[in-house]
Amino acid sequence: MTLSPVRQSSLSDQVVERLRAEIVEGRWPVGERIPPEPELMESLGVARGTLREALRALQYSGMLDIRRGDGTFVNARSEVPGALARSGGTLADVLEARAAIEPQLARLAALRASADDIALIETALARRARSHADDWASSDAFFHEAIARAAHNPILFEVYAALLPRLQESVQAAISRSGFRVDDPRGHEEVLEAIVQGDPEAASASAAANLAATERWDLDDRASGQR
């Protein structure tokens, strides 16, 4: 097999890597506006066209959000959210992904959660209980994010954080379907109690049971709709 020659990366590719490093390393936090174009052009020593090509590449990847007339904002710390947004997938696909991650996050949270972590989970659960249909999905996602933080595994957290927008979208779509339960204690009150008690096996089992119940409901609801 003949290998093709290695080509020197383009200037815009180098700019992409420099900008990505600022985001990944947290110097430009998620949700904040990055420096304006003139400042970046001067700092990087590149022309406007090169900079804009790099910004568009990072926008496509999902890391940046370019808002005309308002500036460019950090949207995510990795390309994973953008890839997930383009991946499509059904509620069943999202549930399978959650089943692979959430029980382990709950287990680790039961082992590692601090008093502050538990307080945040309790606050998130109380917010979820007070929520109405229009903001219930976001409150539910906030609760699960709090558990993911309490696991204190930065790699798992980044992966799960990338999944959260899909989780919220899928839950928001499911709320209007018949039989969807917003008050199931499994994976919520029960998992919180297990985390408070420091019981990793109970926390993992509760999270898994909640997802399994949702998966059964989804299958039954779709089957009844086909009759």
Side-chain angles (χ1 to χ4, degrees):
M1 180 179 66
T2 302
L3 297 176
S4 58
V6 176
R7 297 179 178 177
Q8 185 175 3
S9 62
S10 69
L11 187 57
S12 65
D13 290 340
Q14 295 177 49
V15 174
V16 166
E17 291 308 313
R18 292 283 299 278
L19 300 180
R20 180 187 285 116
E22 297 298 306
I23 299 169
V24 171
E25 294 172 17
R27 289 188 287 271
W28 292 347
V30 173
E32 291 196 6
R33 183 168 57 186
I34 71 172
E37 287 187 1
E39 183 178 331
L40 291 174
M41 289 162 56
E42 182 177 356
S43 299
L44 296 167
V46 297
R48 188 181 301 274
T50 300
L51 175 63
R52 287 187 172 178
E53 183 179 349
L55 293 175
R56 284 194 296 270
L58 289 170
Q59 181 184 38
Y60 179 76
S61 74
M63 295 182 75
L64 290 179
D65 178 17
I66 301 174
R67 306 175 191 173
R68 187 178 299 277
D70 197 21
T72 299
F73 293 77
V74 178
N75 197 47
R77 287 184 59 185
S78 76
E79 290 89 345
V80 177
L84 287 175
R86 297 189 298 270
S87 65
T90 63
L91 173 61
D93 296 322
V94 175
L95 288 172
E96 286 179 359
R98 291 177 63 185
I101 303 175
E102 285 186 12
Q104 176 66 355
L105 287 172
R107 177 181 177 278
L108 293 174
L111 292 170
R112 301 172 179 172
S114 66
D116 287 343
D117 292 327
I118 291 173
L120 180 61
I121 297 170
E122 290 174 339
T123 298
L125 188 58
R127 168 182 160 181
R128 180 179 180 274
R130 296 191 304 268
S131 297
H132 302 290
D134 55 346
D135 62 349
W136 190 89
S138 62
S139 297
D140 183 63
F142 179 61
F143 170 79
H144 290 290
E145 181 181 3
I147 292 177
R149 288 186 184 279
H152 291 283
N153 182 308
I155 296 176
L156 277 177
F157 179 76
E158 288 295 333
V159 172
Y160 191 70
L163 179 64
L164 280 172
R166 295 301 309 278
L167 183 158
Q168 186 173 333
E169 291 171 8
S170 64
V171 170
Q172 187 63 51
I175 289 174
S176 61
R177 292 166 57 186
S178 63
F180 182 81
R181 289 190 60 183
V182 299
D183 59 348
D184 194 332
R186 293 171 295 194
H188 301 97
E189 287 86 354
E190 287 181 5
V191 77
L192 171 58
E193 180 61 24
I195 291 171
V196 170
Q197 296 299 323
D199 188 337
E201 301 311 318
S204 176
S206 181
N210 174 58
L211 291 165
T214 305
E215 185 175 8
R216 287 194 297 273
W217 161 80
D218 179 51
L219 288 171
D220 292 344
D221 186 58
R222 285 191 287 117
S224 64
Q226 294 173 355
R227 293 173 189 154

